[in-house]
Amino acid sequence: EAQVTQNPRYLITVTGKKLTVTCSQNMNHEYMSWYRQDPGLGLRQIYYSMNVEVTDKGDVPEGYKVSRKEKRNFPLILESPSPNQTSLYFCASSLGTGPYNEQFFGPGTRLTVL
Amino acid sequence: AQTVTQSQPEMSVQEAETVTLSCTYDTSESDYYLFWYKQPPSRQMILVIRQEAYKQQNATENRFSVNFQKAAKSFSLKISDSQLGDAAMYFCAYRSVDSGYALNFGKGTSLLVTP
């Protein structure tokens, strides 16, 4: 089944404790992206990657890191999480970078930073 | 940066009736795509419908259709014969090459469907 998977789905952590949220897609998609969703703000892009070893900042990159060592994986790293990073996180992928390419979303990761 | 505005935080519709969700956007680009996504309580983001700016014909997908007014930069979603399963948060989104390949989302409209 074609899908985008994220792990973990739920995470409660404390300020300053490094964490990684994994994202994997099995559709051989070139483009991958991370969004965060906050009440009343919609979804905002954190980082994106157009291909292996090619990443760039989105609208809200502060406090996050990403890597793209393999085409299928695009982990999101919070090296020193803070309470303002409490949010719902979505990974998405699409076949290419053209605007006509549908973005497929993962199921979301609910992160709480105490 | 492009902005997407959904002016209705909440809407309500009775089962079997029709409802229209509003969306406006601001852009100087001529080539772009517009999307409506549905987010049910499961939180999964589901693509409902999409429209290419160059196409004058409004997109339709079963009970879902759009009214795309390019000059007015308006992109509304009409849901006909509403069903209980349509209850969800609906997001309007914009994407173009110049938007950094990102989907720029509106803040969403929460749709309640009453029996």
Side-chain angles (χ1 to χ4, degrees):
Chain A
E1 179 189 356
Q3 60 183 348
V4 179
T5 56
Q6 294 178 227
N7 282 291
R9 295 288 311 279
Y10 302 89
L11 180 60
I12 300 174
T13 190
V14 295
T15 299
K17 186 176 181 181
K18 181 180 179 179
L19 66 92
T20 299
V21 183
T22 64
C23 172
S24 183
Q25 50 91 8
N26 62 1
M27 296 170 279
N28 201 35
H29 284 173
E30 288 187 350
Y31 179 87
M32 297 186 74
S33 180
W34 277 101
Y35 296 87
R36 62 176 287 173
Q37 182 180 6
D38 301 292
L41 295 179
L43 283 80
R44 295 175 293 168
Q45 190 185 50
I46 303 170
Y47 268 95
Y48 64 94
S49 169
M50 290 190 283
N51 214 322
V52 176
E53 302 292 359
V54 181
T55 63
D56 209 345
K57 297 177 181 179
D59 293 327
V60 288
E62 294 77 21
Y64 304 95
K65 286 176 61 177
V66 293
S67 68
R68 187 94 181 270
K69 294 184 171 57
E70 304 168 282
K71 197 171 187 179
R72 64 183 293 128
N73 296 322
F74 190 45
L76 179 69
I77 304 157
L78 286 72
E79 297 215 325
S80 184
S82 62
N84 65 11
Q85 292 178 298
T86 292
S87 187
L88 177 59
Y89 291 87
F90 286 98
C91 180
S93 72
S94 62
L95 184 61
T97 54
Y100 46 83
N101 286 288
E102 179 181 351
Q103 287 203 24
F104 294 83
F105 284 81
T109 294
R110 171 72 69 185
L111 173 65
T112 301
V113 183
L114 302 175
Chain B
Q2 291 78 15
T3 57
V4 178
T5 302
Q6 294 179 248
S7 59
Q8 306 152 317
E10 294 179 349
M11 291 283 285
S12 181
V13 64
Q14 270 195 315
E15 215 174 349
E17 297 296 310
T18 296
V19 65
T20 299
L21 308 184
S22 301
C23 174
T24 59
Y25 58 95
D26 183 26
T27 184
S28 58
E29 301 304 310
S30 58
D31 187 12
Y32 51 88
Y33 271 73
L34 296 163
F35 305 83
W36 278 99
Y37 278 87
K38 171 184 178 182
Q39 188 180 42
S42 68
R43 305 182 318 201
Q44 182 69 43
M45 294 292 287
I46 302 165
L47 178 65
V48 175
I49 198 165
R50 61 179 157 182
Q51 174 83 39
E52 183 180 3
Y54 272 114
K55 290 188 176 179
Q56 291 187 340
Q57 186 174 5
N58 289 323
T60 61
E61 289 286 343
N62 300 314
R63 298 182 295 107
F64 298 87
S65 62
V66 298
N67 183 4
F68 174 48
Q69 302 289 329
K70 190 173 184 179
K73 297 179 182 177
S74 171
F75 182 60
S76 60
L77 175 70
K78 185 171 83 170
I79 305 174
S80 304
D81 186 26
S82 296
Q83 300 175 359
L84 294 177
D86 295 333
M89 183 72 82
Y90 287 82
F91 292 98
C92 178
Y94 167 104
R95 191 181 188 193
S96 76
V97 170
D98 285 347
S99 69
Y101 309 105
L103 279 165
N104 288 296
F105 285 89
K107 294 181 180 181
T109 297
S110 178
L111 178 65
L112 174 67
V113 181
T114 57

